[in-house]
Amino acid sequence: MLADKSDFIGLEGVTHLATGGEPPLLKTHRDAFEDFARDKADGQNGYRRHWQVAEEVRAQLGQLVGMTPEDIALTGSASEGISRVISSIDWRAGDSVVTPAAEFASGRYGLARLEKLGVQVRMVPSKNGLIEIDDLVDVCDSSTRLLLVSQVSYLTGQQIDVARLSKAMSDRQTALMIDASHALGVVPVDARHSDFVVSCGYKWLLSTHTGILIWNRARRPGFEPLGVGWNSATEGELPGSYHLLETAERAEVGNPNHLDVYLMRRSLDYLSGIGIDRIAANARALGGDLRRELVALGTEVLTPESEAARAGSIAFAHADCERIMQTLASEKILVWGDDGRIRLSVHAFVDQNDIARFLERVRPIL
């Protein structure tokens, strides 16, 4: 086990395989709240410290994804980040966008809204339950303004090769946006391969319900979100004029969620202390063991076998996933069951004993 369960709130005696939905918080998050509350009580000086912490978190995230702090925006959610990117494009009738048909609803709904502007939304079906990079690329043409895909599928746990996808799209003008919500914090994420990366903070980053938008300024300089506020611009020559910031903060119309930022600082400290490469190796090794046992049990496993095509979650289809989830929960084994499948997430606080305990309890249920 890479992370001691005693470091977390409410994890003692629990087998927690539900990080893909909600992970536990760290006990040091209590200290983070105290830090925030103390600064909030200190007037303007405390408010300035709020922004200092935000800069620290941007730097931590930049190191994690191979970017600079100036490329990082702290948003309310991953969905907000997606909306910011979509709003920055001057859509015209006849344009097209591409995304997998199995993409999470935040992306699909955001793109589907463009149909009212005459934009064709191309939803690419999976093949044998998996997303094929060649299929995504083949559907793109000269009209395609944006391709949105998750690095790791929320539904199946499949990880796509973002570097390969980026290379295949290199001769096109299409913007590439990656949703890293099920990757960031458990496997390496390299934002240099895409124009934009969005992520939530409350899953594998072990933080709370906030979001991250990464803008690759060198690769896609023309990013002007439709929404503008006091924090995304500086004063212009006239009362109604302004100049957008040169950094990704142009996507932040107001204050970031400062309390969430204090909490995320603790999470990032904790994860960096372990190391993402070690976390990824642990997740893939235990996930491989778990997948093999589920196949042996005769379940319909949705996650690919290859380590390169997996991250932290293993999923199997089942018509009665709610019953399985609740039965296991009654024995303090937490899994995620919806969308016709059970998703099992392996993070740093999961070890072989957790996998064995889950398998022992789930066999009679299945």
Side-chain angles (χ1 to χ4, degrees):
M1 183 186 298
L2 298 180
D4 198 312
K5 289 187 179 184
S6 65
D7 292 342
F8 295 83
I9 298 171
L11 209 54
E12 291 84 355
V14 175
T15 290
H16 195 299
L17 300 171
T19 292
E22 287 282 356
L25 289 178
L26 292 158
K27 290 180 179 177
T28 55
H29 281 133
R30 293 168 174 151
D31 299 326
F33 176 80
E34 292 295 329
D35 292 341
F36 170 78
R38 188 163 42 251
D39 288 344
K40 195 173 190 305
D42 196 26
Q44 190 168 5
N45 287 330
Y47 182 64
R48 287 170 177 161
R49 284 194 291 275
H50 289 348
W51 287 98
Q52 291 171 3
V53 172
E55 288 307 308
E56 291 176 25
V57 168
R58 291 183 217 278
Q60 289 174 302
L61 289 167
Q63 290 181 342
L64 197 59
V65 299
M67 305 295 281
T68 70
E70 292 76 22
D71 300 314
I72 312 293
L74 303 172
T75 60
S77 64
S79 299
E80 181 183 335
I82 292 171
S83 294
R84 290 278 185 268
V85 173
I86 291 174
S87 77
S88 72
I89 298 174
D90 182 20
W91 299 102
R92 303 296 175 90
D95 288 342
S96 67
V97 292
V98 172
T99 195
E103 185 62 27
F104 190 64
S106 298
R108 286 186 289 107
Y109 295 173
L111 296 179
R113 178 69 175 80
L114 298 172
E115 290 181 329
K116 292 188 176 182
L117 302 179
V119 175
Q120 184 182 26
V121 181
R122 299 171 181 171
M123 302 278 184
V124 181
S126 303
K127 284 184 177 177
N128 299 318
L130 301 179
I131 298 164
E132 297 288 347
I133 288 178
D134 291 343
D135 291 345
L136 293 174
V137 174
D138 290 345
V139 170
C140 296
D141 58 28
S142 60
S143 73
T144 307
R145 306 288 300 279
L146 179 65
L147 167 59
L148 166 61
V149 63
S150 290
Q151 178 172 331
V152 178
S153 168
Y154 85 100
L155 186 64
T156 66
Q158 176 196 1
Q159 177 171 217
I160 68 161
D161 187 338
V162 174
R164 182 186 153 212
L165 174 61
S166 177
K167 184 176 181 180
M169 296 293 295
S170 61
D171 61 344
R172 304 167 189 254
Q173 296 301 310
T174 304
L176 175 60
M177 178 161 50
I178 299 297
D179 187 338
S181 294
H182 285 269
L184 193 58
V186 65
V187 291
V189 173
D190 191 341
R192 294 171 296 182
H193 293 306
S194 54
D195 299 287
F196 304 97
V197 176
V198 298
S199 178
C200 65
Y202 70 93
K203 295 184 185 292
W204 300 91
L205 283 178
L206 302 179
S207 195
T208 48
H209 296 79
T210 188
I212 300 155
L213 168 61
I214 303 166
W215 169 32
N216 191 334
R217 296 178 300 151
R219 174 167 160 152
R220 179 73 55 170
F223 171 52
E224 296 188 7
L226 187 60
V228 180
W230 69 266
N231 188 39
S232 52
T234 57
E235 197 75 41
E237 295 73 22
L238 299 172
S241 63
Y242 59 87
H243 302 288
L244 283 175
L245 298 180
E246 295 297 319
T247 68
E249 277 189 79
R250 63 173 56 187
E252 299 177 17
V253 296
N255 283 283
N257 302 333
H258 287 296
L259 173 56
D260 295 296
V261 175
Y262 275 64
L263 296 167
M264 186 178 289
R265 179 174 60 167
R266 296 280 181 162
S267 299
L268 292 169
D269 283 343
Y270 189 84
L271 292 171
S272 65
I274 301 171
I276 293 300
D277 288 340
R278 291 180 66 206
I279 294 171
N282 179 70
R284 286 171 174 151
L286 292 182
D289 293 343
L290 180 56
R291 187 188 183 282
R292 281 189 293 274
E293 292 294 333
L294 289 170
V295 170
L297 284 172
T299 64
E300 182 186 349
V301 177
L302 305 174
T303 312
E305 181 179 5
S306 165
E307 282 195 1
R310 290 190 278 109
S313 291
I314 304 295
F316 66 92
H318 203 282
D320 201 3
C321 53
E322 177 72 20
R323 178 183 65 85
I324 293 175
M325 179 179 67
Q326 297 300 349
T327 301
L328 290 170
S330 69
E331 300 188 44
K332 294 188 176 182
I333 301 173
L334 305 183
V335 302
W336 205 264
D338 58 12
D339 293 313
R341 57 89 173 97
I342 298 289
R343 183 178 60 204
L344 311 162
S345 300
V346 179
H347 211 340
F349 48 76
V350 174
D351 64 12
Q352 194 65 55
N353 291 329
D354 292 308
I355 303 300
R357 183 165 181 256
F358 162 76
L359 290 169
E360 178 186 359
R361 299 297 195 275
V362 83
R363 282 190 182 96
I365 299 173
L366 294 176

